[in-house]
Amino acid sequence: MKSILISVPAYNEEPNIYPLYKSLLKVIDPLKEKYRFEILFINDGSSDNTVDTVKQLINETDIVSLIDLSRNYGKEIAMAAGFDYSDHDAVITIDADLQHPPTLIPEMINLWELGYEDVYAKRKKRHGESTFKKFTSKLFYKVLQHVSDTPVNADAGDFRLLDKKVVSALQLLRESQRYTKGLYNWVGFKKVAIEFDAAERLFGETKWSFKSLFRLAMEGITSYTTAPLKISMYFGFVASLVAFIYMIYVLIKTLAFGSDTSGFPTIIIVMLFLGGCQLISIGILGEYLGRIFTETKNRPLYFKEEVISKTVKKDDASYKN
Ligand code: UDP
Ligand code: MG
């Protein structure tokens, strides 16, 4: 019997735990004969009663497990904890807020059985999101698409079924500043998309502030490609070329017609403009340098407060409870 892990990162999702469990149960119940399911909640340092709710659920059923992380690490790391935990034949990652419809799971499993190793759900429409968020997210994908070598799937979220092969690959990628959507593409494997209508989250509010989305977007670009470094270099070339041509022009003009000392505003403008460009370039450099700094520390991605699991894990001693 094949085993499937449903991995749910949860940060302050207390009211959503039971509804999610119920609707998951509805879709996996008819498949119980063929697959062994395990639902893993990864508590990402919630400040509400998410942990207690999951523990209560664990007492009532035997297919639920819990990883309680030592603090809030962010969704990307929480998902990594789910991948690390898995020794299943497939992993399905799904949000806790029911924005990802569990009804899609049977179709995902069918496609997996057909040989696809990364079945990802693509949003058709975005309900309950501001035009500003839609616009910025579209813009981000456009930019990322343009500057990177590996393709990016716009609107493809983290609702996915991943074959064991993909999960083992992801387990090897230990960067601490993670942009998981980029990692899926980087590791490759046979991909297929299915479409769905994203619903509004059931309870609570999105954890993404504009600031954290901006940070994720920066992470996406800087972890995915070194194009910004090249762009600032190209810009440097163009600026010097223009300056050089202008210099020759001024030289000839001065030799032929003599010099007049006007042009002060032009000098100031050019100085400010180029100074700004230099600062931006240094900033970009610093961004990459900072990433190197963080990654060379080589810290573990996360620490676990507690793991409650009925399936004993093979290798990792810390997973035996
Ligand atoms: N999440 C998490 N850690 C965080 C932020 C979010 O584990 O620091 C989880 C959250 O509980 C949810 C999923 O990631 O299951 C998606 O979060 P959210 O709904 O806030 O994002 P959105 O759907 O608005 O992109
Ligand atoms: Mg959500």
Side-chain angles (χ1 to χ4, degrees):
M1 201 146 103
K2 286 185 181 168
S3 58
I4 298 177
L5 178 75
I6 300 177
S7 155
V8 192
Y11 175 51
N12 294 346
E13 301 282 6
E14 181 187 348
N16 293 324
I17 301 288
Y18 265 88
L20 177 74
Y21 171 71
K22 291 258 161 63
S23 50
L24 278 176
L25 211 56
K26 233 185 269 167
V27 289
I28 65 180
D29 231 21
L31 299 168
K32 248 185 4 209
E33 312 279 87
K34 279 187 77 187
Y35 305 98
R36 190 162 47 78
F37 285 97
E38 178 175 353
I39 302 173
L40 170 72
F41 287 96
I42 302 134
N43 174 47
D44 186 20
S46 302
S47 51
D48 64 357
N49 283 324
T50 301
V51 175
D52 294 330
T53 318
V54 175
K55 280 185 180 168
Q56 202 181 323
L57 198 55
I58 289 176
N59 287 334
E60 293 165 21
T61 81
D62 55 357
I63 60 165
V64 177
S65 307
L66 167 75
I67 295 181
D68 188 11
L69 298 178
S70 60
R71 65 168 170 90
N72 177 247
Y73 287 91
K75 185 188 178 188
E76 309 292 316
I77 300 277
M79 286 199 298
F83 296 139
D84 291 344
Y85 173 85
S86 163
D87 59 355
H88 303 63
D89 294 303
V91 175
I92 296 173
T93 47
I94 187 168
D95 281 2
D97 56 5
L98 284 155
Q99 276 187 308
H100 297 156
T103 42
L104 239 56
I105 289 177
E107 196 187 336
M108 288 176 142
I109 294 177
N110 284 341
L111 285 164
W112 174 49
E113 292 289 4
L114 287 176
Y116 291 104
E117 288 146 342
D118 178 356
V119 186
Y120 61 93
K122 232 174 123 158
R123 269 183 291 208
K124 246 191 295 189
K125 277 193 215 106
R126 288 160 171 251
H127 293 294
E129 276 182 3
S130 65
T131 14
F132 180 69
K133 190 171 174 191
K134 279 185 228 171
F135 172 75
T136 43
S137 125
K138 216 171 168 178
L139 185 74
F140 166 67
Y141 282 113
K142 272 260 160 62
V143 171
L144 196 56
Q145 189 84 69
H146 258 90
V147 297
S148 72
D149 316 319
T150 21
V152 202
N153 306 315
D155 282 326
D158 293 309
F159 186 21
R160 293 176 178 249
L161 183 150
L162 302 168
D163 184 77
K164 202 156 115 187
K165 283 187 215 164
V166 186
V167 177
S168 324
L170 289 174
Q171 285 169 352
L172 294 176
L173 305 182
R174 303 314 291 178
E175 57 236 68
S176 57
Q177 289 151 312
R178 300 171 79 83
Y179 178 66
T180 317
K181 281 178 218 166
L183 301 184
Y184 300 131
N185 285 312
W186 189 83
V187 297
F189 296 102
K190 284 191 226 75
K191 293 181 195 306
V192 65
I194 50 179
E195 290 203 323
F196 76 103
D197 273 319
E200 278 180 55
R201 68 168 21 250
L202 190 62
F203 291 109
E205 282 191 349
T206 175
K207 308 318 182 290
W208 294 106
S209 58
F210 180 72
K211 202 175 117 202
S212 60
L213 274 177
F214 185 75
R215 202 179 314 131
L216 185 72
M218 276 321 214
E219 210 118 280
I221 291 175
T222 46
S223 71
Y224 211 57
T225 162
T226 47
L229 293 173
K230 281 190 205 123
I231 292 170
S232 58
M233 189 178 68
Y234 293 148
F235 184 80
F237 276 133
V238 172
S240 337
L241 190 73
V242 170
F244 185 73
I245 292 168
Y246 186 64
M247 184 188 79
I248 292 177
Y249 164 78
V250 170
L251 192 71
I252 293 171
K253 205 179 107 181
T254 317
L255 286 178
F257 306 105
S259 114
D260 45 1
T261 32
S262 67
F264 181 71
T266 337
I267 290 174
I268 291 297
I269 289 168
V270 170
M271 253 175 64
L272 285 180
F273 177 69
L274 287 183
C277 292
Q278 280 167 3
L279 284 181
I280 292 172
S281 305
I282 294 173
I284 293 172
L285 264 178
E287 189 63 36
Y288 284 94
L289 196 67
R291 300 183 66 82
I292 297 171
F293 171 65
T294 323
E295 297 300 343
T296 47
K297 286 197 249 179
N298 221 348
R299 291 190 178 163
L301 289 185
Y302 52 86
F303 287 104
K304 295 172 290 240
E305 176 82 43
E306 182 182 13
V307 179
I308 305 180
S309 162
K310 272 153 202 168
T311 56
V312 179
K313 298 282 122 189
K314 287 179 303 196
D315 310 318
D316 188 351
S318 66
Y319 278 122
K320 290 182 189 131
N321 60 326

